[in-house]
């Protein structure tokens, strides 16, 4: 069976896009594993490698799109990877917010002021007067 030059170009383009896309998918798995293990060093390393892999994949896909050679299955996988990145970012943001709330309960940001100063007199907190512009 003989392939046309256009078919061969399409196969080569798909193969060239497969490598960077697979790297993104692998780094997403590594990041998910590190997050699950709560390994801060591994999360940091995986996030950095994911960033590099995403930049490379976007560059390859952009170049291929200019030539109209991005197969639909690869576009779909890239979209899924983007969704996974967004989901992990959201999960991390929620975990961070939860941790911040727990820390606020344990260590209030604004310690209550005592009614009396070290000299024993009542402290004055701001006057009751109007602000002048």
């Amino acid at each position: 069976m003989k392939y046309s030059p256009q078919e061969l170009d399409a196969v080569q383009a798909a193969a060239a896009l497969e490598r960077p896309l697979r790297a993104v998918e692998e780094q997403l798995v590594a990041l998910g594993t590190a997050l699950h293990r709560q390994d801060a060093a591994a999360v940091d390393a995986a996030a950095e490698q994911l960033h590099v892999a995403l930049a490379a994949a976007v560059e390859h896909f952009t170049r291929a799109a200019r030539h109209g050679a991005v197969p639909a299955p690869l576009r779909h996988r890239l979209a899924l990877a983007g969704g996974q990145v967004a989901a992990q970012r959201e999960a991390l943001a929620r975990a961070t917010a939860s941790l911040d709330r727990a820390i606020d309960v344990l260590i209030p940001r604004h310690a209550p002021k005592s009614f009396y100063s070290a000299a024993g007199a009542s402290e004055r907190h701001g006057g009751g007067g109007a602000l002048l512009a």
Side-chain angles (χ1 to χ4, degrees):
M1 186 167 172
K2 196 164 187 167
Y3 295 103
S4 71
Q6 292 83 9
E7 289 172 325
L8 289 174
D9 287 344
V11 169
Q12 289 174 341
L17 294 174
E18 178 66 30
R19 284 186 300 272
L21 181 55
R22 192 174 331 114
V24 168
E25 292 167 339
E26 289 169 358
Q27 291 309 314
L28 280 167
V29 170
L31 180 58
T33 301
L35 287 168
H36 181 71
R37 289 186 321 206
Q38 298 179 354
D39 182 345
V43 168
D44 192 41
E48 184 177 334
Q49 291 171 355
L50 176 59
H51 179 75
V52 170
L54 279 169
V58 167
E59 180 183 329
H60 281 84
F61 273 76
T62 300
R63 196 175 326 123
R66 286 188 193 125
H67 297 92
V70 180
L74 292 178
R75 274 196 317 263
H76 180 70
R77 283 175 53 202
L78 183 62
L80 286 175
Q84 287 177 321
V85 168
Q88 286 184 342
R89 187 179 325 133
E90 179 65 26
L92 190 56
R94 286 182 183 169
T96 300
S98 178
L99 180 61
D100 286 346
R101 286 190 300 273
I103 289 172
D104 284 344
V105 168
L106 296 173
I107 307 169
R109 292 178 196 247
H110 305 289
K113 302 222 186 251
S114 64
F115 185 71
Y116 294 102
S117 70
S122 170
E123 291 184 353
R124 297 192 52 101
H125 301 290
L131 295 174
L132 299 176

